[in-house]
Amino acid sequence: MTETEKKVFKPNAMTLLTILLSSMVILMGAAVVAPALEPIANHFGITDNFTKSLVVSLPSLSCAITGFGVGYLADRFGKVKVFYGALLIFTIMGVAGFFATSYISLLVFRFLLGIGITGISLTTTALIGEYYTGMNRAKVIGYQSAAIGVGTLILETTGGSLTEIGWQFPFLVYLIGLPILIMGLISVKDP
């Protein structure tokens, strides 16, 4: 067995779980805080509907603007490194909304959150393509689609429940990125 054959990474069950959990949070940008939109607007004194809606729509706009750049970084520096960085950005910028002291700072955090979501979305799909082949790849893509749907349902419900406590509490749901990042550091490697 040659030295390169010994170093080839094979994804395991924890790798798959990490990818699926990461996929769950892709649509979380809007879903978690959508139930808190009115309380957030009331807290910061925002009455204009367009300005209110930015809290929900800004992460998607960020994805559209930064997608090519994040994809370039993944090709240049490696998908796994971008995956780790994206999870870190996702977690920090998501939770930062809890501590927002102005509406502008909240919008900045939401835009940066979108960069993290872009990185997670791009790299999880790319890693599925690199880790799996044939029918296994098709199965994992199906699992990924299901995970996105389940994640949106669970996380939006959780966000709605936390809104009952206070407008800022749904932002704590983004802490889910921390255990996913730890799992990724253990189980996601360059193929």
Side-chain angles (χ1 to χ4, degrees):
M1 188 179 263
T2 67
E3 198 62 31
T4 30
E5 288 174 333
K6 290 179 188 174
K7 292 183 180 181
V8 173
F9 172 74
K10 299 281 186 201
N12 56 31
M14 189 171 181
T15 307
L16 177 60
L17 181 61
T18 302
I19 287 173
L20 295 179
L21 289 173
S22 300
S23 297
M24 274 180 50
V25 303
I26 290 172
L27 293 181
M28 201 171 139
V32 169
V33 298
L37 190 57
E38 280 303 315
I40 290 169
N42 292 339
H43 176 79
F44 290 110
I46 306 298
T47 56
D48 176 54
N49 285 334
F50 173 76
T51 308
K52 282 182 197 176
S53 69
L54 287 175
V55 171
V56 173
S57 60
L58 213 52
S60 297
L61 178 62
S62 174
C63 290
I65 292 171
T66 63
F68 287 113
V70 173
Y72 171 77
L73 292 175
D75 287 340
R76 177 125 168 91
F77 298 107
K79 293 164 190 69
V80 173
K81 287 179 184 172
V82 171
F83 174 71
Y84 296 155
L87 278 167
L88 191 60
I89 290 168
F90 170 86
T91 305
I92 292 171
M93 290 301 118
V95 173
F98 182 86
F99 302 101
T101 56
S102 71
Y103 198 69
I104 296 296
S105 66
L106 180 61
L107 295 180
V108 169
F109 298 148
R110 300 296 289 165
F111 185 85
L112 295 173
L113 171 73
I115 296 171
I117 292 170
T118 302
I120 294 168
S121 177
L122 290 172
T123 55
T124 53
T125 304
L127 288 170
I128 288 170
E130 290 189 8
Y131 286 163
Y132 306 98
T133 58
M135 285 307 295
N136 277 341
R137 182 183 295 162
K139 276 192 226 177
V140 173
I141 289 172
Y143 296 153
Q144 182 187 34
S145 297
I148 291 170
V150 168
T152 303
L153 173 69
I154 292 171
L155 299 170
E156 189 167 346
T157 304
T158 305
S161 299
L162 290 173
T163 300
E164 296 296 320
I165 301 170
W167 69 266
Q168 70 274 35
F169 284 91
F171 293 99
L172 295 179
V173 175
Y174 291 100
L175 285 170
I176 194 173
L178 195 57
I180 297 171
L181 176 60
I182 293 167
M183 290 173 63
L185 291 169
I186 295 167
S187 66
V188 177
K189 308 290 180 210
D190 282 313

